Amino acid sequence: MLSRNRMLIRSLVSSSVPCTRNFSGTAPPPRQVLKTGDTLRQTRIFTNEDVTEYSKASHDSNPLHFDSEFARNAGFEDRLVHGMLVAALFPRIIASHFPGAVYVSQSLHYKSPVYVGDAVVGESKILDKVLQER
């Protein structure tokens, strides 16, 4: 598996890929090679439809996501976006810069709620990269 990962990284690092991309952009940004220390960012606004579709897929129908009054009574400003839906920003960032990459792990700590309609910026920083000759 390590050999396959190194081959994937080698092929992706050797090609040019964009350093910053937004979800809604239709034209690709200028391409550049990623290097250690680069930060990859994507912004997303979560909609009612996003929450509904995620709920269908996950079977998470917690009223905090669908009932404004229930959410306010629980101490929130309004309906919440599912935490795991927000967390899905990170594998998407990686996949958009490294097609075919396998996302292995993620640690989460929710510091503040995300409400339907909020713009969220996901960031991933490249800490290291492995190059392998063909």
Side-chain angles (χ1 to χ4, degrees):
M1 175 113 174
L2 180 58
S3 177
R4 177 173 158 71
N5 288 341
R6 286 181 187 216
M7 288 183 358
L8 176 63
I9 291 169
R10 182 202 65 231
S11 67
L12 295 171
V13 170
S14 65
S15 65
S16 296
V17 293
C19 189
T20 302
R21 179 189 290 172
N22 291 324
F23 281 86
S24 59
T26 55
R31 298 172 72 97
Q32 62 189 59
V33 174
L34 296 172
K35 60 188 179 305
T36 301
D38 283 348
T39 299
L40 309 174
R41 291 179 188 86
Q42 288 188 347
T43 301
R44 178 150 184 202
I45 296 174
F46 292 96
T47 65
N48 288 321
E49 183 180 0
D50 294 328
V51 170
T52 299
E53 292 302 313
Y54 181 83
S55 178
K56 288 177 186 176
S58 68
H59 302 279
D60 180 349
S61 57
N62 187 325
L64 288 170
H65 307 298
F66 298 99
D67 185 331
S68 294
E69 184 178 345
F70 187 91
R72 284 192 286 277
N73 288 337
F76 297 102
E77 293 175 18
D78 207 343
R79 297 179 307 117
L80 300 173
V81 176
H82 297 81
M84 293 306 292
L85 177 56
V86 176
L89 276 169
F90 299 102
R92 179 160 179 158
I93 291 168
I94 292 167
S96 69
H97 290 86
F98 300 104
V102 175
Y103 193 72
V104 177
S105 70
Q106 178 172 328
S107 296
L108 302 172
H109 177 77
Y110 299 109
K111 294 185 176 187
S112 60
V114 174
Y115 300 103
V116 174
D118 281 354
V120 178
V121 178
E123 293 185 352
S124 291
K125 186 173 186 176
I126 298 173
L127 299 177
D128 195 9
K129 64 182 183 178
V130 177
L131 298 174
Q132 180 177 336
E133 296 299 320
R134 287 184 179 209

